[in-house]
Amino acid sequence: MKRLILMALLAVPTAGWACPPLNGHPIAVAQRVEAFREQVIASKAIVYGVVERPITTREGSVGILHILHVYKGDLMPGQRLKMRYALPPSRCPIYAPKDYVFSQDRGTYGVVLIPEGADGDPLSLTGFQDAARVNFMISQGLIVSAQGIEPSPSDPVSPHFQ
């Protein structure tokens, strides 16, 4: 029996042992909401833009984000930012394959948070904010709607923070 267990254990890839589960101890919704709120407040700039040149994780690739609206910060509408898609380092190599290329293609648009201390050329793009997060920022008074629409404070905003 011991030999059978030992052989079964040896058959399991060792990378699987070293990698913790993706969501072993999920963070409570209230903590995710507060963490996002702090991230927005600490942002150097919050802009709405459209990708003019694809922004990817490919080595040496630099894309262009054309700013259409500025919610926060000293950037200007019409300005073009050189950006590179940045992924947080993975805790485990099997979660994101090395050769997979993440990309925001030409024509992709949305709200982007530019963190404080983000300097250099190109800037790092961590992704676009989804509609639930943008609505949350507007409802909390963290940004003002570009369309002049203010949600009522009594309107529930579903915090889908994952």
Side-chain angles (χ1 to χ4, degrees):
M1 184 66 174
K2 288 182 183 181
R3 281 188 184 164
L4 183 61
I5 292 172
L6 180 60
M7 292 191 58
L9 289 174
L10 291 174
V12 175
T14 57
W17 289 26
C19 298
L22 279 175
N23 220 0
H25 299 286
I27 300 169
V29 171
Q31 290 173 312
R32 289 190 300 241
V33 169
E34 187 55 33
F36 179 68
R37 183 180 175 78
E38 289 172 11
Q39 180 184 6
V40 170
I41 291 169
S43 293
K44 170 178 158 176
I46 302 173
V47 300
Y48 176 84
V50 62
V51 176
E52 286 188 349
R53 186 186 318 149
I55 303 169
T56 73
T57 55
R58 237 181 236 113
E59 188 68 34
S61 174
V62 177
I64 302 289
L65 180 73
H66 180 197
I67 298 174
L68 302 176
H69 181 78
V70 178
Y71 293 102
K72 176 183 177 182
D74 58 0
L75 300 172
M76 301 296 295
Q79 192 173 350
R80 288 170 172 78
L81 301 176
K82 291 180 182 178
M83 301 195 92
R84 176 175 293 131
Y85 204 116
L87 293 174
S90 177
R91 295 180 297 168
C92 182
I94 64 171
Y95 291 155
K98 275 178 153 179
D99 56 348
Y100 186 81
V101 174
F102 291 87
S103 177
Q104 295 294 338
D105 296 324
R106 186 171 192 257
T108 305
Y109 57 91
V111 175
V112 175
L113 300 179
I114 299 174
E116 187 63 50
D119 290 321
D121 193 23
L123 292 171
S124 295
L125 174 74
T126 56
F128 290 95
Q129 301 301 312
D130 63 21
R133 288 179 180 231
V134 173
N135 288 335
F136 175 79
M137 289 188 279
I138 293 169
S139 72
Q140 297 294 304
L142 300 172
I143 62 173
V144 177
S145 170
Q147 300 164 341
I149 301 168
E150 293 187 36
S152 167
S154 61
D155 288 348
V157 178
S158 55
H160 293 280
F161 298 97
Q162 300 174 0

